[in-house]
Amino acid sequence: MQKRIEQIVFGGSLSFLVGYLGYGFIKQRHYDSKDDYDPSLLIRRIKHDPLENKEELFNSIGFSIWNKTGMEWTAFYSEDYFNDKASYQFDPIAIKRIAEATFELHNMCLEAVDNVVKSDELMDLFEIPLNMREAIRESWKRNEADLVGRFDLLYDGTTYPKLIEYNADTPTLLVETARAQAVWAKPKALLHKQFNYLTNALKFAWSKILKPEDKEVVFVAEKRDEEWDQIKMLKETLPPGVASFLYEIKHLFFDPQKGTLFVANNDQVKEVTWLWKLYPWEWIAHEEINHVFEHGRGSKHIRVGEPAWKIILSNKALLPYLWQLYPNHPNLLPAYFTDDPYYDDFINNEYENKQKKWVAKPKYGRGGEYILISSQFDNWAEFLSKAREDPQVFLDDKDEYENDNDNKNNDRESFSLGRRVIQLFHETPYFHGRRITIGSWVVFGAPAGIGIREDIRDVVYDNSSFVPHFVDHLNVVNFGEENTERNFEFYPSTKTQSEIRQRLYGKAGDELLESLYNTRNEYLDAEVEINRQEPRTGYRGHGVYYRYWPHS
């Protein structure tokens, strides 16, 4: 009898497991078989046969994570991280809107930085580490140009792309965007139909950012495959004659006697004068190597990419602050601080706000961690309360983002991810059961290409699958057959934005735009009517905003 019971239990467990595994497969096949193409949208998901010899192809370009676990249909059934069985087709109108939004958003962000560096109150609101503030101001004062960043945009295929995050300090997905999807496109004769100028733009940008006396660049990152792949690619875009060295971040040290940084591995010791780090500034602020930057004392003797002022833009506080500066801008979503007294503005509008879906995310959150969605809560008050909590992570486990809220008695040192900000959830269409997020790249101030992430969940996480794209006319009203790229319009919206671009990028920034898009815009000299309305006092007295938009 006992043996019979064990057999029944085993058989039932096995049947459940097989059924659970089968459910993920059936769910995937169900959505993939649906013909949900909407002819009114400027985006379409298309199914493809998988690449042949993809392991060999991806290894040849230094892309080692293509087959890691991607989007999960169930806990036991997932897709590859790089999904070569599908692509997204974008109408040229969509690419035009994405590129122009990227250009405008970056300019708006530069104007926001210009305000924040001048205000201790705003530095406090962004929760910028005190020991980093002088270095941030110094890097902005010296007009240190940024190399690369990635906007995460939501786009419904009909109106305007919406900003949900700016990965400005440590943007990943470079190899996927610049190389992997190009490898996918080549055998399909789609290589020249991608919005993908990243490699050429990076080579150009390095040639302008590096000075004649800069003979070498030291790259540092944590030794994880994703970071390592990206750093290696960046090294390969350096100008000829510039030496490069790659080290793990743990081999970067501070020399207290010289007040400099050096790398040491085995018998090799090298002083660092030009550093490119794939490592967040807010983490550096808590580590010994920050002694060279704190209070700005050593930052004058070392160049760093991304520059220290990028910590302002990689901070989710950027979202509500941009909404304050540019209310109702077509590329922004309503967003609010949960800090006092700003949270009152959101809470006091309870009747209207509780009818909508909201997302709360920590200012220094990464990879979709610690995000709250109002629809996940039974009542509105519980969401408002949870949104105010301050997530903590351990310093020695920050890459794991271990939550310290459940470990109150632990003596390990922790640091805050910052108060959450709240942003309106933006509904986007499903494509074969998936939502997409568009990673739109900025190189030296210029839009340089896109990469697509997809997931069945509402939030994109680190393991959300990457899907290639191509550009071709869909059956919607479009420009016609002319070269769409000649129709791009890249003009700063305000005089301040134009002046900041001139300081950071100069004529070289205009030259890059012209080389990528054949625009011949010459924004510094263009006889174009820039929006020069008189500035108005912004929300809570911070900055300025303009009521009317030149491209809305």
Side-chain angles (χ1 to χ4, degrees):
M1 185 67 178
Q2 179 68 27
K3 185 174 182 180
R4 177 60 178 160
I5 294 174
E6 291 176 355
Q7 289 175 338
I8 292 173
V9 171
F10 175 77
S13 301
L14 184 61
S15 297
F16 174 79
L17 180 59
V18 171
Y20 191 65
L21 290 171
Y23 172 70
F25 175 75
I26 292 170
K27 186 177 180 182
Q28 179 192 39
R29 291 295 297 270
H30 167 71
Y31 282 116
D32 284 352
S33 64
K34 292 180 65 175
D35 184 12
D36 59 0
Y37 171 55
D38 184 344
S40 68
L41 302 182
L42 298 171
I43 308 173
R44 181 181 186 181
R45 191 178 190 272
I46 299 174
K47 296 184 286 289
H48 296 274
D49 292 330
L51 284 174
E52 296 181 4
N53 304 321
K54 54 186 168 186
E55 182 173 4
E56 179 182 348
L57 288 171
F58 289 145
N59 287 340
S60 70
I61 61 170
F63 183 36
S64 65
I65 62 171
W66 63 272
N67 63 343
K68 76 173 186 179
T69 300
M71 186 190 79
E72 298 176 347
W73 290 96
T74 68
F76 299 101
Y77 186 79
S78 63
E79 296 180 352
D80 283 344
Y81 168 66
F82 188 93
N83 185 358
D84 62 331
K85 299 176 183 178
S87 71
Y88 283 91
Q89 177 182 351
F90 286 77
D91 190 272
I93 299 175
I95 296 300
K96 173 180 168 67
R97 288 178 179 173
I98 292 168
E100 290 180 351
T102 300
F103 183 79
E104 183 153 359
L105 284 168
H106 183 67
N107 294 338
M108 291 158 57
C109 288
L110 296 180
E111 195 164 7
V113 173
D114 200 50
N115 291 335
V116 173
V117 297
K118 298 173 183 176
S119 167
D120 286 332
E121 183 182 357
L122 286 175
M123 286 277 197
D124 291 341
L125 189 59
F126 276 66
E127 299 186 51
I128 303 296
L130 292 173
N131 60 355
M132 282 294 306
R133 296 186 180 187
E134 190 61 32
I136 292 167
R137 289 178 167 128
E138 284 292 326
S139 69
W140 186 250
K141 182 179 179 181
R142 291 196 298 270
N143 300 317
E144 293 183 358
D146 54 311
L147 177 70
V148 64
R150 191 193 80 240
F151 285 106
D152 282 350
L153 307 174
L154 295 180
Y155 183 44
D156 59 14
T158 58
T159 56
Y160 296 95
K162 305 291 187 181
L163 173 65
I164 58 170
E165 182 176 355
Y166 192 7
N167 297 278
D169 182 22
T170 57
T172 54
L173 307 180
L174 260 181
V175 178
E176 294 91 317
T177 306
R179 292 182 172 177
Q181 66 177 347
V183 164
W184 171 90
K186 189 173 182 179
K188 302 178 186 300
L190 295 173
L191 185 58
H192 298 294
K193 288 192 172 185
Q194 286 188 332
F195 180 36
N196 184 6
Y197 305 145
L198 262 175
T199 300
N200 288 338
L202 285 168
K203 290 179 178 179
F204 177 93
W206 274 122
S207 71
K208 302 301 179 182
I209 289 176
L210 295 175
K211 299 177 181 178
E213 60 269 24
D214 296 326
K215 302 301 182 184
E216 62 182 39
V217 177
V218 172
F219 292 85
V220 295
E222 292 185 294
K223 197 169 184 180
R224 294 196 297 257
D225 290 339
E226 180 180 9
E227 284 85 349
W228 221 239
D229 287 354
Q230 174 148 320
I231 287 287
K232 288 178 180 177
M233 179 191 154
L234 276 174
K235 284 172 78 261
E236 293 169 10
T237 60
L238 285 172
V242 177
S244 60
F245 304 89
L246 177 58
Y247 290 88
E248 291 183 65
I249 186 70
K250 67 181 182 180
H251 295 140
L252 182 65
F253 300 96
F254 171 65
D255 185 335
Q257 294 184 339
K258 294 183 178 180
T260 58
L261 292 179
F262 67 95
V263 284
N265 186 15
N266 298 326
D267 296 331
Q268 295 182 334
V269 177
K270 175 181 290 295
E271 186 172 322
V272 178
T273 57
W274 222 113
L275 177 72
W276 205 94
K277 82 228 169 9
L278 193 58
Y279 198 75
W281 276 111
E282 66 267 21
W283 293 0
I284 289 176
H286 295 275
E287 301 183 6
E288 185 184 31
I289 57 175
N290 186 57
H291 291 315
V292 78
F293 302 110
E294 63 183 1
H295 312 304
R297 64 186 183 192
S299 57
K300 300 176 183 178
H301 308 296
I302 180 172
R303 292 284 305 280
V304 184
E306 292 296 295
W309 57 264
K310 275 291 197 79
I311 191 176
I312 295 172
L313 300 184
S314 63
N315 187 316
K316 305 299 187 301
L318 176 71
L319 301 173
Y321 186 58
L322 285 178
W323 186 248
Q324 293 175 8
L325 291 178
Y326 310 94
N328 302 314
H329 189 282
N331 297 126
L332 298 177
L333 292 167
Y336 302 89
F337 290 101
T338 61
D339 306 69
D340 292 328
Y342 306 100
Y343 205 23
D344 293 340
D345 296 324
F346 184 79
I347 294 176
N348 293 338
N349 197 18
E350 177 180 350
Y351 177 78
E352 180 179 345
N353 288 338
K354 71 187 302 184
Q355 311 302 319
K356 302 173 184 177
K357 190 173 179 179
W358 296 88
V359 181
K361 36 196 171 183
K363 292 173 183 173
Y364 289 112
R366 311 176 73 82
E369 295 296 332
Y370 299 106
I371 285 180
L372 306 176
I373 301 177
S374 60
S375 59
Q376 298 170 339
F377 293 84
D378 294 332
N379 61 74
W380 182 247
E382 184 184 3
F383 169 70
L384 294 178
S385 176
K386 284 288 186 181
R388 297 201 70 167
E389 289 185 358
D390 185 2
Q392 304 280 318
V393 296
F394 292 125
L395 287 178
D396 51 352
D397 269 341
K398 50 190 172 293
D399 57 325
E400 302 292 336
Y401 268 17
E402 185 175 353
N403 194 342
D404 194 35
N405 291 334
D406 299 326
N407 296 275
K408 299 298 184 183
N409 296 324
N410 200 306
D411 293 332
R412 292 155 65 195
E413 185 179 2
S414 65
F415 76 99
S416 169
L417 293 181
R419 282 281 184 90
R420 289 183 174 94
V421 301
I422 295 179
Q423 186 181 46
L424 182 68
F425 183 89
H426 185 56
E427 293 286 350
T428 54
Y430 284 99
F431 300 92
H432 295 155
R434 294 106 160 152
R435 294 185 191 269
I436 65 169
T437 298
I438 299 168
S440 187
W441 289 88
V442 182
V443 176
F444 201 59
I450 60 171
I452 314 301
R453 303 285 293 282
E454 67 176 13
D455 210 303
I456 58 175
R457 298 168 290 186
D458 285 340
V459 175
V460 167
Y461 293 92
D462 281 344
N463 69 329
S464 298
S465 293
F466 187 98
V467 188
H469 82 281
F470 68 97
V471 184
D472 205 353
H473 293 294
L474 290 164
N475 295 323
V476 293
V477 177
N478 55 49
F479 295 120
E481 297 302 319
E482 72 271 19
N483 182 348
T484 304
E485 283 141 27
R486 296 177 187 273
N487 294 280
F488 284 70
E489 297 178 4
F490 296 125
Y491 299 111
S493 295
T494 70
K495 182 179 179 181
T496 299
Q497 292 175 10
S498 183
E499 291 171 347
I500 294 172
R501 288 188 66 88
Q502 183 177 12
R503 295 202 309 265
L504 291 177
Y505 313 119
K507 286 288 186 180
D510 214 34
E511 183 184 342
L512 177 59
L513 285 170
E514 182 178 331
S515 67
L516 297 181
Y517 299 95
N518 197 19
T519 56
R520 307 192 186 285
N521 278 348
E522 296 290 340
Y523 72 81
L524 296 179
D525 301 320
E527 295 181 1
V528 176
E529 184 58 35
I530 293 178
N531 184 353
R532 300 179 187 276
Q533 299 178 68
E534 289 299 314
R536 299 166 59 90
T537 302
Y539 180 72
R540 296 288 181 194
H542 302 315
V544 298
Y545 64 79
Y546 298 86
R547 187 170 296 279
Y548 304 102
W549 304 105
H551 303 307
S552 62

